[in-house]
Each structure stands twice: as C-alpha cells, then as structure tokens.
C-alpha cells in the first residue's frame, strides 16, 4: 500500500501527518510530553526530538539546556547550581561533577 504525497501510512490507512508536538494514536493525534517536538508516545521517555533550549539526557528525557555551573533540575524545566566544587555537573550534588576548576 502506498499513500499519496503528503500522507503517511499508519496501520490501516493513509493519514495527514500529526502537527509538531503531537503523535499518531490510531485515528487521532495526541500531544507529546512537555518540551517535546516529536515523539512516539505520551510518556516522557518516548520523545525523539526536544523543543528549542532542551535536549535528551541519558535517561532519554527532555531537560533544559543549562550553562556551565548549572545542571538541569529534576523538573526538567529549570537549572540547579552545581556544587561549588564543580565547574560542570550532571546534578547539584558534589558527586555529580563532570569537570572541576583548575
């Protein structure tokens, strides 16, 4: 089965693609998780492309891009300061340093 240009094959038919920030769920489009542009489901780890100023972390979740000295907070939308021992970090705790001051 082949779809007309501009349509996508989904299980039993051809459909218009879902808008950015939504994914196909049967015959309808549902919203992607927060801060996610493209996804394959509604769970946070099902995002495949994050919104601007966000990136996929090692858990495959969209988290805020933070500058040196800060790391994404657990809420994914804000940044926490690194420990004073860290130049860069994965979280605010001292054991999470990824680089140190010289």
């Amino acid at each position: 089965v082949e779809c007309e240009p501009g349509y996508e094959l989904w299980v039993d038919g051809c459909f218009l693609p879902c808008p950015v920030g939504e994914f196909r769920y049967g015959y309808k489009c549902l919203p992607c998780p927060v801060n996610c542009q493209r996804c394959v489901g509604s769970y946070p780890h099902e995002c495949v492309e994050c919104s601007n100023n966000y990136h996929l972390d090692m858990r495959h979740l969209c988290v805020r891009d933070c500058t040196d000295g800060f790391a994404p907070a657990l809420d994914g939308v804000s940044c926490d300061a690194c420990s004073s021992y860290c130049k860069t970090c994965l979280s605010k705790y001292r054991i999470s340093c990824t680089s140190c001051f010289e």
Side-chain angles (χ1 to χ4, degrees):
V1 176
E2 204 171 295
C3 296
E4 295 290 324
Y7 287 80
E8 298 175 340
L9 181 62
W10 180 260
V11 183
D12 64 348
C14 295
F15 298 90
L16 285 169
C18 291
V20 172
E22 295 185 4
F23 69 99
R24 172 118 350 247
Y25 186 76
Y27 294 105
K28 57 186 172 182
C29 294
L30 295 178
C32 290
V34 67
N35 305 318
C36 181
Q37 293 285 75
R38 286 189 321 111
C39 64
V40 295
S42 60
Y43 293 106
H45 68 275
E46 293 178 313
C47 188
V48 294
E49 182 184 338
C50 299
S51 302
N52 289 340
N53 301 315
Y54 290 83
H55 68 276
L56 289 170
D57 71 359
M58 64 189 151
R59 301 166 297 169
H60 210 72
L61 302 176
C62 288
V63 295
R64 169 75 70 190
D65 291 337
C66 300
T67 57
D68 282 359
F70 293 87
L74 290 177
D75 65 7
V77 296
S78 58
C79 296
D80 287 334
C82 295
S83 161
S84 59
Y85 294 93
C86 307
K87 181 177 180 183
T88 58
C89 61
L90 295 174
S91 72
K92 61 184 179 181
Y93 304 103
R94 189 181 338 181
I95 61 170
S96 302
C97 294
T98 54
S99 70
C100 300
F101 295 103
E102 295 191 27

